[in-house]
């Protein structure tokens, strides 16, 4: 009996060994072409990646032509015909081109380094590699308060001269602003509502913007001298002051009735029709006007067709305010008309023909 059991186990082990050898042979025959194909695909993929990285290294570079090294911007000078720009790159380029190029940023502030989309370029201390980092992650959540101390509340420097009309850019569009007289208006159409002739010199508007209480308290240093100098004379119809308060966030939208009632109490009744409140996201408009720091106030001179001709921020000094008033008067000067004057004493040009009989 024991002999039969041992014979049976031996036979089964032999059969198992034969089956196992057949399975191994079958798997070798099947796996060998697969592994070769996989290897070929791997080599092809690596070659494609190498070529694409080489092409990108020629197309992608950092533009450090600006004075500050930290303001390097990434852009594509040449693009591969097989490469499609991403959604992020398209949006970045669109916002970069829309920025007002005539606004002067303070050299000691962080605003000059901020890229569209609230990014900054950060350099690795060891490798030297540069990459885009979110603004708050790179500079900290209290970067705006630190910038106010570095720039004396002036992240934007006042223009020393009027922006030329040929280079001036339109004030960015913002819709759905609430006026204190219960009207819904849009800008910059609101600035030019009284200019039916569409003449750039017909009027000049001082636009005062703020996002926080601290910035709103700085604006009277600009608006009060402007009103006293220009809005009480014979040409007072040419000048106007518009105050805009931007309230971003959902909580501000929910508290809008309280904000409106509080603003009405603090603003004189004659200025209600020129005081606007906005609830919602104004990030793109602030980026175009370089209003990155929301804790200060900003002022802009807008001509009769809605173009930004001068900008400033913070608390206005005596010299800055006087320059602003002089620029406003210059913007409303009518263009000089050149008349052709006849020079009777000069020599006569042309041949004189004898009279015909």
């Amino acid at each position: 009996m024991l002999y039969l059991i041992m014979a049976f186990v031996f036979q089964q082990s032999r059969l198992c060994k034969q089956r196992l050898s057949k399975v191994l042979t079958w798997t070798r025959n099947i796996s060998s072409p697969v592994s070769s194909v996989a290897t070929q695909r791997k080599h092809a993929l690596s070659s494609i990646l190498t070529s694409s990285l080489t092409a990108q290294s020629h197309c992608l570079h950092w533009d450090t032509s600006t004075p500050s090294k930290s303001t390097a911007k990434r852009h594509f000078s040449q693009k591969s015909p097989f490469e499609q720009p991403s959604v992020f790159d398209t949006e970045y380029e669109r916002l970069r081109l829309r920025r007002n190029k005539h606004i002067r940023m303070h050299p000691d502030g962080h605003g000059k380094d901020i890229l569209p989309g609230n990014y900054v370029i950060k350099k690795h201390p060891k490798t030297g590699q540069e990459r885009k980092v979110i603004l708050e992650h790179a500079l900290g959540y209290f970067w705006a308060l630190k910038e106010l101390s570095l720039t004396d509340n002036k992240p934007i420097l006042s223009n020393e001269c009027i922006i030329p009309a040929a280079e001036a850019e339109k004030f960015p569009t913002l819709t759905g602003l609430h006026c204190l007289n219960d009207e819904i208006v849009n800008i910059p159409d609101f600035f030019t509502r009284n200019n039916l002739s569409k003449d750039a010199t017909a009027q000049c508007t001082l636009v005062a913007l703020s996002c926080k209480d601290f910035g709103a308290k700085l604006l009277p240093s600009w608006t009060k001298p402007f009103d006293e100098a220009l809005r009480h004379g014979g040409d007072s119809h040419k000048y106007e002051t518009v105050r805009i308060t931007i309230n971003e966030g959902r909580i501000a939208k929910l508290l809008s009735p309280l904000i409106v009632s509080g603003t009405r109490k603090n603003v004189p009744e004659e200025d209600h029709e020129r005081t606007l409140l906005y609830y919602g996201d104004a990030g793109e408009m602030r980026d175009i006007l370089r209003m990155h720091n929301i804790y200060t106030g900003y002022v802009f001179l807008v001509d009769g067709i809605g173009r930004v001709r001068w900008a400033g921020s913070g608390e206005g000094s005596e010299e800055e305010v006087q320059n602003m008033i002089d620029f406003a008067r210059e913007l409303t000067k009518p263009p000089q008309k050149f008349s052709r004057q006849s020079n009777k004493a000069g020599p006569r040009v042309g041949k004189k023909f004898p009279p015909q009989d």
Side-chain angles (χ1 to χ4, degrees):
M1 187 68 181
L2 183 61
Y3 176 77
L4 292 176
I5 293 174
M6 291 178 63
F8 178 75
V9 171
F10 178 74
Q11 186 179 5
Q12 291 298 325
S13 62
R14 244 179 111 185
L15 291 174
C16 289
K17 189 180 286 188
Q18 290 177 0
R19 290 174 183 173
L20 183 60
S21 63
K22 290 181 180 180
V23 169
L24 290 175
T25 306
W26 179 75
T27 53
R28 287 197 194 98
N29 295 335
I30 296 299
S31 62
S32 58
V34 173
S35 62
S36 61
V37 171
T39 305
Q40 293 176 3
R41 289 180 179 176
K42 186 175 180 181
H43 287 303
L45 182 61
S46 62
S47 62
I48 292 173
L49 289 175
T50 305
S51 61
S52 64
L53 289 174
T54 306
Q56 287 183 6
S57 64
H58 292 291
C59 299
L60 183 64
H61 68 278
W62 296 88
D63 183 11
T64 55
S65 58
T66 53
S68 175
K69 294 182 179 180
S70 59
T71 56
K73 296 180 177 63
R74 187 182 74 168
H75 62 87
F76 293 92
S77 59
Q78 299 175 356
K79 288 188 177 181
S80 172
F82 302 103
E83 182 183 359
Q84 295 296 330
S86 64
V87 177
F88 178 84
D89 292 331
T90 304
E91 183 68 12
Y92 172 85
E93 190 67 18
R94 184 185 70 85
L95 292 174
R96 188 183 69 84
L97 293 175
R98 290 200 63 189
R99 277 186 167 182
N100 196 309
K101 304 171 185 61
H102 300 282
I103 294 179
R104 300 172 58 216
M105 306 303 297
H106 199 289
D108 297 331
H110 300 301
K112 68 181 187 305
D113 302 329
I114 298 176
L115 305 178
N118 285 336
Y119 287 91
V120 294
I121 299 297
K122 194 170 183 180
K123 191 173 183 179
H124 196 278
K126 294 183 179 179
T127 62
Q129 186 179 3
E130 295 178 332
R131 60 191 180 96
K132 279 190 283 193
V133 184
I134 299 175
L135 176 62
E136 287 79 8
H137 293 177
L139 303 178
Y141 288 96
F142 302 101
W143 69 269
L145 299 177
K146 182 180 179 181
E147 186 186 38
L148 293 181
S149 62
L150 293 175
T151 61
D152 193 21
N153 301 331
K154 291 179 176 295
I156 288 178
L157 296 177
S158 302
N159 293 95
E160 297 177 351
C161 59
I162 296 178
I163 300 173
E167 303 175 5
E169 301 178 24
K170 197 90 169 179
F171 196 93
T173 303
L174 202 62
T175 60
L177 287 88
H178 298 259
C179 191
L180 288 185
N181 60 358
D182 297 329
E183 291 183 8
I184 306 297
V185 299
N186 304 326
I187 57 174
D189 297 337
F190 182 78
F191 307 148
T192 60
R193 67 192 183 281
N194 298 325
N195 186 10
L196 301 179
S197 63
K198 303 301 180 184
D199 183 9
T201 61
Q203 68 178 51
C204 177
T205 305
L206 175 63
V207 183
L209 293 105
S210 63
C211 302
K212 301 292 183 182
D213 245 1
F214 180 75
K217 293 177 181 179
L218 300 176
L219 294 179
S221 62
W222 303 94
T223 58
K224 190 175 179 180
F226 183 88
D227 292 343
E228 291 176 353
L230 302 174
R231 298 191 63 235
H232 297 287
D235 294 334
S236 60
H237 63 281
K238 293 184 178 181
Y239 306 100
E240 185 180 30
T241 303
V242 177
R243 299 168 179 84
I244 302 176
T245 302
I246 298 175
N247 304 283
E248 293 183 295
R250 297 181 180 179
I251 298 178
K253 182 68 174 177
L254 296 174
L255 300 177
S256 58
L258 299 176
I259 296 175
V260 171
S261 62
T263 308
R264 281 176 177 166
K265 293 178 182 178
N266 297 328
V267 176
E269 188 174 355
E270 60 270 16
D271 295 333
H272 282 187
E273 62 178 358
R274 293 183 297 273
T275 303
L276 309 178
L277 303 175
Y278 178 76
Y279 305 97
D281 182 20
E284 184 169 341
M285 187 206 74
R286 291 193 296 104
D287 186 82
I288 294 173
L289 297 176
R290 309 306 300 271
M291 296 169 50
H292 305 296
N293 196 320
I294 62 175
Y295 291 98
T296 189
Y298 300 88
V299 286
F300 303 91
L301 284 181
V302 180
D303 63 10
I305 56 177
R307 298 176 299 186
V308 178
R309 307 298 298 274
W310 178 88
S313 66
E315 185 175 5
S317 64
E318 191 173 338
E319 181 182 358
E320 289 176 323
V321 171
Q322 188 59 46
N323 289 338
M324 176 191 66
I325 295 173
D326 294 340
F327 294 155
R329 287 178 176 148
E330 188 175 345
L331 288 175
T332 54
K333 283 184 179 179
Q336 297 180 357
K337 296 181 180 180
F338 298 93
S339 60
R340 183 180 297 177
Q341 300 178 354
S342 59
N343 191 359
K344 297 181 180 179
R348 186 170 179 175
V349 180
K351 186 177 180 181
K352 184 178 181 180
F353 292 92
Q356 297 180 359
D357 294 337

